[in-house]
Amino acid sequence: MKTYSPVQFIAGTLLIISALVQPAGAQTCPGVTVAGTTSTIGTTPALLNLPVGVAVDAAGFIYVADSENHRIVKFAPNATSGSAGTVVAGTGSAGSGPQELNKPTGVALDGSNNIYIADYENHRIQKFAPNSVGGDNGITVAGTGTSGYSPEKLNRPYGLTVDGGGYLYIADAQNHRIQKFNPNSVGGDNGVTIAGMTISGLPSFGSAPDRLYYPLGVAVDGSGNVYIADANNYRIQKFPPNSVGGDNGATVAGITISAGPASNQLDTPLGVFVDGAGFIYVSDWYNHRIQKFPPNSTEGTPGITVGGTSGVSGSSANQLDRPSGLAVDAMGSVYVADQNNHRVQKFVPGGQTATVSGLTADESACPVRLRGTGNGQTFVFSGPNGYVFSEVHRTAGTYQPVAFDVRVPGTYTLQAGTAGGCGSSVPAQMTVTVARSCP
């Protein structure tokens, strides 16, 4: 606990207090089902059948590639087990028409919430409008609908992502390569191989730094670096922004051709996600867990388990059974397509709770606002990654305790001061308590 003595806030001045927030160690909060019903297969909008891919938009809506139902289902931010979703692509039956899908395995969103789908058995990527509903036509933006290895073809695309410029990156699984397509591409346009190797024009797999062996997931960070879930090499490969086919990648998680359950190993990674701070999240399929690696990770660096129970499959809240695609939201919550449990599990990171109390304003004529601007007391709580918390309004007087949820360890700054010239001073006292908590 940190206690600060009474201080005098003079109008127009700002007091800055730094509080160091450190975790007591890795903590995983209980998982929560946010789509589907555990171990229950079905075709209603509330049920899933082997979900493989998942994406989350900025508003918290959850999009699920419901592979065996041949559709994409969208769930509300507050969805729980058994909540009904809305079908936004596909008809529920396998097909190759523009409105149909055949075992979709990946789903991604661009900045406008257009929906991109890895249509696995149709060897293509379909794009649907943000407001689409089941049965609407999509347009093919990569692939031709038939398998092949030439630049315009795909062979069972599994995972995909879209960068900030609208470029499309595809894990072209059975061609053992990553293909990149322009923002305005249409079916039949050539892609560019940015990772993986061809020999005499034919796909070539292997474990060398320039090869891939069934890449199933792909992610791009803010600098354009490309991360690949190289499934059968049991590793995550990182390639620089301007890489081309045949360039060497660097292993940043797992150990090449060394499968296992140790914290520095992976066993058939299917999904990869990189957050804004550079942390790498991996769906470790055969180990039934989600591993998180630091931004400077290299081959053999230990990860920490942030979802599931290492090496043990199951259907309890803290367990996973063949985790596939994953996504991480702005607050660090991890969403996992828990394939064999026919659900999506959400894991909220164990965080810190900072409670501020005992802040007193002695001029009753002055309205007071916490986390706001304008007349009165201004209170700002900020930290790493631009975390911003909701406004809390108070009238003049002694403040009741106000809790702020802090999910990322680091140095946080408390700022307090008067604004707008309301009164000449505001005497105050602050007590800051920092403790670990799960929501």
Side-chain angles (χ1 to χ4, degrees):
M1 176 180 291
K2 296 181 184 289
T3 302
Y4 299 95
S5 300
V7 293
Q8 193 80 4
F9 291 136
I10 307 300
T13 65
L14 198 65
L15 175 72
I16 299 179
I17 304 169
S18 291
L20 183 63
V21 183
Q22 295 282 7
Q27 178 180 356
T28 300
C29 294
V32 177
T33 301
V34 294
T37 300
T38 301
S39 302
T40 304
I41 297 172
T43 59
T44 70
L47 296 175
L48 303 170
N49 189 354
L50 290 181
V52 177
V54 63
V56 180
D57 69 18
F61 287 91
I62 306 159
Y63 300 74
V64 184
D66 189 12
S67 65
E68 291 298 315
N69 282 327
H70 313 290
R71 66 188 184 183
I72 305 299
V73 187
K74 178 180 177 181
F75 293 85
N78 60 351
T80 59
S81 178
S83 293
T86 301
V87 178
V88 294
T91 63
S93 299
S96 59
Q99 81 280 21
E100 295 175 307
L101 302 169
N102 192 349
K103 297 189 189 314
T105 51
V107 59
L109 306 168
D110 66 17
S112 299
N113 277 354
N114 293 296
I115 306 165
Y116 297 78
I117 302 162
D119 193 8
Y120 184 74
E121 292 288 359
N122 283 325
H123 313 289
R124 67 185 182 183
I125 305 302
Q126 291 292 96
K127 177 182 177 181
F128 290 82
N131 58 352
S132 68
V133 296
D136 285 356
N137 284 344
I139 60 171
T140 302
V141 294
T144 65
T146 59
S147 64
Y149 52 82
S150 54
E152 81 280 8
K153 300 245 183 208
L154 301 170
N155 192 352
R156 291 194 167 89
Y158 199 88
L160 76 168
T161 192
V162 183
D163 72 13
Y167 287 90
L168 179 63
Y169 301 75
I170 303 164
D172 191 10
Q174 293 199 5
N175 282 326
H176 311 288
R177 67 187 182 185
I178 303 300
Q179 291 292 94
K180 180 180 178 180
F181 289 83
N182 289 325
N184 297 318
S185 68
V186 295
D189 285 357
N190 285 344
V192 176
T193 301
I194 61 168
M197 184 74 171
T198 59
I199 297 178
S200 299
L202 297 175
S204 176
F205 61 85
S207 59
D210 61 348
R211 309 289 176 94
L212 302 170
Y213 192 6
Y214 284 107
L216 297 180
V218 60
V220 180
D221 67 18
S223 299
N225 297 296
V226 181
Y227 300 75
I228 301 162
D230 191 10
N232 282 13
N233 282 323
Y234 315 115
R235 67 188 182 185
I236 304 299
Q237 287 294 93
K238 178 182 177 182
F239 289 81
N242 297 318
S243 67
V244 295
D247 286 355
N248 285 342
T251 302
V252 294
I255 301 172
T256 300
I257 61 171
S258 176
S263 63
N264 65 344
Q265 290 180 301
L266 300 169
D267 193 345
T268 315
L270 261 65
V272 60
F273 189 97
V274 182
D275 69 16
F279 287 94
I280 306 164
Y281 300 76
V282 183
S283 291
D284 193 8
W285 202 61
Y286 271 122
N287 283 324
H288 312 289
R289 67 187 181 183
I290 306 300
Q291 291 292 93
K292 180 181 177 181
F293 295 86
N296 59 351
S297 178
T298 60
E299 184 168 18
T301 297
I304 61 171
T305 301
V306 295
T309 304
S310 182
V312 180
S313 66
S315 59
S316 70
N318 289 332
Q319 292 179 309
L320 299 168
D321 190 350
R322 302 290 195 270
S324 186
L326 79 164
V328 182
D329 68 18
M331 291 297 290
S333 296
V334 183
Y335 300 75
V336 185
D338 189 11
Q339 190 171 322
N340 284 5
N341 282 324
H342 311 288
R343 66 186 182 183
V344 173
Q345 286 294 94
K346 177 181 178 181
F347 294 90
V348 176
Q352 320 291 326
T353 298
T355 302
V356 179
S357 61
L359 183 59
T360 303
D362 68 350
E363 297 193 31
S364 60
C366 294
V368 181
R369 171 182 282 186
L370 303 184
R371 274 254 22 105
T373 58
N375 289 343
Q377 181 73 31
T378 300
F379 187 97
V380 179
F381 194 90
S382 62
N385 300 329
Y387 279 53
V388 178
F389 303 91
S390 59
E391 292 185 355
V392 181
H393 298 270
R394 294 283 183 269
T395 57
T398 300
Y399 297 104
Q400 298 300 312
V402 180
F404 299 90
D405 195 7
V406 184
R407 299 196 185 283
V408 178
T411 300
Y412 289 79
T413 300
L414 305 180
Q415 299 179 345
T418 57
C422 181
S424 60
S425 65
V426 182
Q429 178 175 337
M430 288 186 180
T431 299
V432 179
T433 303
V434 177
R436 295 192 59 78
S437 69
C438 280

